[in-house]
Amino acid sequence: MTIDKIRRDYKRASLNKKDADLSPFKHFAKWIDEAIKADLIDATAMSISTSENNKPSSRMVLLKGYDESGFSFYTNYESKKGKEISANPNVALLFYWAELERQIRIEGRIEKLSEKENDEYFQSRPIESQISTWVSLQSSIVKNRKFLEDRYNESAKKFGKKVPRPKYWGGYKVIPNLFEFWQGRDSRLHDRIQYSKKNKKWIIERLAP
Ligand SMILES: Cc1cc2nc3c(=O)[nH]c(=O)nc-3n(C[C@H](O)[C@H](O)[C@H](O)COP(=O)(O)O)c2cc1C
């Protein structure tokens, strides 16, 4: 079979404006809880798209917290994404749970988390992950895998059991101004409910599939 022949029907659920919570954060909480309870692999993984000079790039990260103030994740501030975020704080997030036939798009502005939040989360990570943050500068070119393994072993020896957080490692929070909840439906008549922020209020509208 060639890939253009691959297709499936979406029949699991529906989404109507009347089912949509007035708060997009509450609707998000409901959907991500259902994805986690369904035991989906990497249910908390999301794509984040950033762009510098009108050249977008995307990659997956893990959502590490959310509330009405935004959605947070951790990374290297000097990575490709970190540099693009410094140049342009407008970003887009994307969640997709194939088994639930659901997608959530989020757009907004991004801010760095505080040093305190960064330190607290860094110290809660397994020591191997803490050591890894010292091994190399994320997104830089490395000559081979041995370089990474040697640097890992050197860092593990140097720090012992107490690994400090490098200043270039920390979190970001995305503060949304747009959400879209997509539920796959029959005959490609998918349900799309959008929340856009106008004058501090969330406007709920249905979009054409
Ligand atoms: C499921 C999954 C989860 C990931 N989680 C993170 C994460 O939380 N933080 C991170 O910096 N990179 C994470 N990565 C790696 C990134 O996708 C990416 O390779 C890395 O951050 C470098 O991206 P950049 O060069 O665009 O900055 C994850 C990758 C996958 C596939």
Side-chain angles (χ1 to χ4, degrees):
M1 187 160 66
T2 54
I3 58 168
D4 61 319
K5 300 288 183 300
I6 300 174
R7 53 176 60 91
R8 66 165 169 141
D9 290 327
Y10 301 91
K11 290 177 181 296
R12 286 182 64 104
S14 62
L15 173 62
N16 289 301
K17 260 170 85 173
K18 67 173 172 40
D19 313 322
D21 199 289
L22 289 181
S23 157
F25 295 97
K26 291 213 175 100
H27 201 92
F28 176 87
K30 180 174 182 290
W31 275 24
I32 196 160
D33 283 351
E34 287 175 7
I36 294 166
K37 285 200 187 97
D39 258 344
L40 305 186
I41 293 177
D42 290 340
T44 58
M46 59 186 185
S47 153
I48 174 157
S49 300
T50 52
S51 84
E52 188 180 359
N53 301 328
N54 294 324
K55 280 173 35 194
S57 69
S58 304
R59 78 291 288 155
M60 303 301 289
V61 292
L62 295 176
L63 179 70
K64 288 294 168 185
Y66 69 91
D67 58 23
E68 302 256 330
S69 69
F71 296 82
S72 54
F73 66 94
Y74 291 85
T75 192
N76 186 308
Y77 288 141
E78 292 172 17
S79 61
K80 178 178 166 91
K81 78 180 89 46
K83 290 188 177 125
E84 293 185 353
I85 287 167
S86 309
N88 175 6
N90 298 307
V91 301
L93 302 177
L94 184 71
F95 293 83
Y96 175 54
W97 299 297
E99 295 82 350
L100 303 180
E101 302 173 350
R102 283 177 175 170
Q103 166 181 262
I104 303 179
R105 292 162 69 161
I106 296 174
E107 294 175 12
R109 286 177 73 80
I110 195 165
E111 286 178 359
K112 278 185 179 165
L113 294 180
S114 67
E115 299 279 304
K116 185 170 169 279
E117 286 168 301
N118 289 344
D119 284 334
E120 278 171 10
Y121 179 67
F122 187 83
Q123 291 310 329
S124 77
R125 301 179 84 211
I127 190 154
E128 295 79 11
S129 310
Q130 294 178 348
I131 296 166
S132 289
T133 60
W134 286 97
V135 167
S136 65
L137 184 55
Q138 193 178 46
S139 317
S140 64
I141 292 169
V142 286
K143 52 179 186 291
N144 51 35
R145 186 163 177 95
K146 185 171 179 305
F147 168 86
L148 298 175
E149 287 168 357
D150 290 349
R151 284 286 301 263
Y152 182 94
N153 293 333
E154 281 162 26
S155 302
K157 210 183 280 171
K158 180 171 155 199
F159 294 122
K161 289 202 158 43
K162 185 96 188 96
V163 185
R165 175 177 66 87
K167 286 288 164 218
Y168 55 74
W169 191 94
Y172 287 104
K173 179 179 281 192
V174 177
I175 299 136
N177 51 42
L178 190 117
F179 287 76
E180 184 209 310
F181 295 85
W182 182 100
Q183 178 75 61
R185 297 295 304 275
D186 248 353
S187 310
R188 300 296 186 260
L189 290 182
H190 309 304
D191 287 331
R192 300 178 63 191
I193 299 295
Q194 175 179 276
Y195 294 73
S196 48
K197 204 166 187 185
K198 302 223 169 73
N199 303 326
K200 299 192 178 158
K201 277 180 128 169
W202 289 103
I203 312 293
I204 308 178
E205 287 154 317
R206 174 179 285 274
L207 301 181

